[in-house]
Amino acid sequence: MLPEGRSRRSGDGRRDLTAIAISCFARYGYQGTSIDRIAREAGVTKGAIYHHFRSKEDLLAAAVMDRIGEFETRVQSACRAAAPDESLRRIAEVCAQHATSEDRPRFAIKLMVESIETNDPVVEEMRGMMRRFRAFLRNIIRAGQDGALFRADADADALAALFTSAVIGAETQFYLDPKRFSLEHTLETFVDQMLDNLRLAGAAQAREGGAIRD
Amino acid sequence: MLPEGRSRRSGDGRRDLTAIAISCFARYGYQGTSIDRIAREAGVTKGAIYHHFRSKEDLLAAAVMDRIGEFETRVQSACRAAAPDESLRRIAEVCAQHATSEDRPRFAIKLMVESIETNDPVVEEMRGMMRRFRAFLRNIIRAGQDGALFRADADADALAALFTSAVIGAETQFYLDPKRFSLEHTLETFVDQMLDNLRLAGAAQAREGGAIRD
DNA sequence: GGGAGCATACCGACCGTTTAGTATGCCGCG
DNA sequence: CGCGGCATACTAAACGGTCGGTATGCTCCC
């Protein structure tokens, strides 16, 4: 972690350690990651970590806030100025892209699941993130309903909950079985199906047309 | 853990310890559960655990096999002799019921996620379970297609993958936020949507009829 | 320019506690 | 009596965290 000249630089220590902690937590989870492991991977000693962070929990909090911020930026950027149906597509796409990237995609699911019943501060943050994500999706669906693109009688909240479920469930299975579980295809199927369901009368024809596309 | 008469009975030790380990692993995860905790909750000492199990990993293996067996029994029982559409409904229902039961429902998701990248034997078992579950669902969908109940051009594999994703994702969110995430409603919405998609021409009318049902 | 003073970033040793596992002893039952 | 089912005491290593000290960077003043 030290720069090549081996002099001590100011300012990057905390950020670099957070990045390494994110990698470790994403792979081993919080309980499975020791401070010694983080220190070792950073090429420093534990003392250096405790210089920047009050505790292991403090380090976890920094990691969680970093990942939540990145996630929300990614989702918002994906559907800027797009139509509601295109927005839903793009969100599914960026989730799939991130899940297959090198940016420690497993962090959110690992820490979310691990923290259930055992780490209330993290659960609170993750819960907030998921609520915001569902609200964001619900608002997209409602915008489509307001614009007569989607049928008005669909339950936007339930569909938003379903969208987030499909994303979490598909990512989990992909991480478990990357050779045999196709994340992108599953999410694409999901969005197709949801949009079919959301579209107005005439959907049966659209579906026949869909078959021709393949 | 000892019976009231305080005599030492044979045969139940291993099974009782497995049950307590399942509870602990379901709550704290594998890394977050110490042998001492399991012993304490069982009312015995570590020595008793090591009498029955060779190692902590051995105990985990017993727990995993137990839970996988129970899950598969439950799913198969749910849809015995039912039509394909009814089968899909029932499977979603029993998953929701189990997730809200006292039978340590979080075990599978906790251990599945925790083991990704860190515990290959458990990943293998969980992967096998999920593959069997998807194959089971796929076969139900195909039976519906063969019986002309479902349209023949739907991708049964993709829909099975979507079904399992919805279940995992909805359960995860429910465990994270039981007050604000409605598991049963989400899975019901999912099954409705999937069956709408799977049904043959006339689906548009069926959907109009669906709106009237509410 | 250089030295003093201070702040920051880190080090290595240490602490008390906890961990998975081991060895040995004891008790009850058939 | 022997064996299964435990309990107890112990081991070495690992855990999160603390502490005194060192190295370096920066600023100010003579």
Side-chain angles (χ1 to χ4, degrees), chain B residues 10 30 38 83 97 104-105 129 146 149 172 178 184 199 202-203:
Chain B
S10 67
Y30 177 68
I38 295 166
Q97 278 161 20
R104 295 127 328 147
M129 178 185 81
D146 292 344
L149 182 64
T172 302
E184 284 161 321
R199 282 177 175 136

Side-chain angles (χ1 to χ4, degrees), chain A residues 109 167-177, chain B residues 112-113 116 168:
Chain A
I109 284 177
V167 169
I168 293 170
E171 282 193 25
T172 302
Q173 287 182 94
F174 172 69
Y175 300 145
L176 190 72
D177 196 359
Chain B
M112 189 190 297
V113 169
I116 289 166
I168 292 170

Side-chain angles (χ1 to χ4, degrees), chain B residues 62-144:
Chain B
V64 167
M65 301 316 277
D66 179 277
R67 290 295 91 188
I68 288 176
E70 292 270 11
F71 170 71
E72 295 185 329
T73 300
R74 189 185 317 124
V75 168
Q76 279 156 19
S77 301
C79 49
R80 192 160 288 140
D85 53 347
E86 186 61 22
S87 292
L88 295 176
R89 270 193 200 289
R90 289 194 196 168
I91 292 170
E93 276 166 15
V94 297
C95 290
Q97 278 161 20
H98 186 253
T100 53
S101 75
E102 298 301 320
D103 191 30
R104 295 127 328 147
R106 294 169 184 81
F107 181 92
I109 284 178
K110 279 251 184 182
L111 269 296
M112 189 190 297
V113 169
E114 179 177 351
S115 303
I116 289 166
E117 277 192 292
T118 58
N119 190 325
D120 283 344
V122 174
V123 164
E124 288 286 334
E125 292 300 332
M126 294 291 188
R127 187 186 282 147
M129 178 185 81
M130 293 310 303
R131 285 178 181 174
R132 293 193 292 278
F133 189 25
R134 292 198 294 272
F136 187 73
L137 292 161
R138 183 198 63 217
N139 292 339
I140 291 170
I141 293 164
R142 287 202 179 141

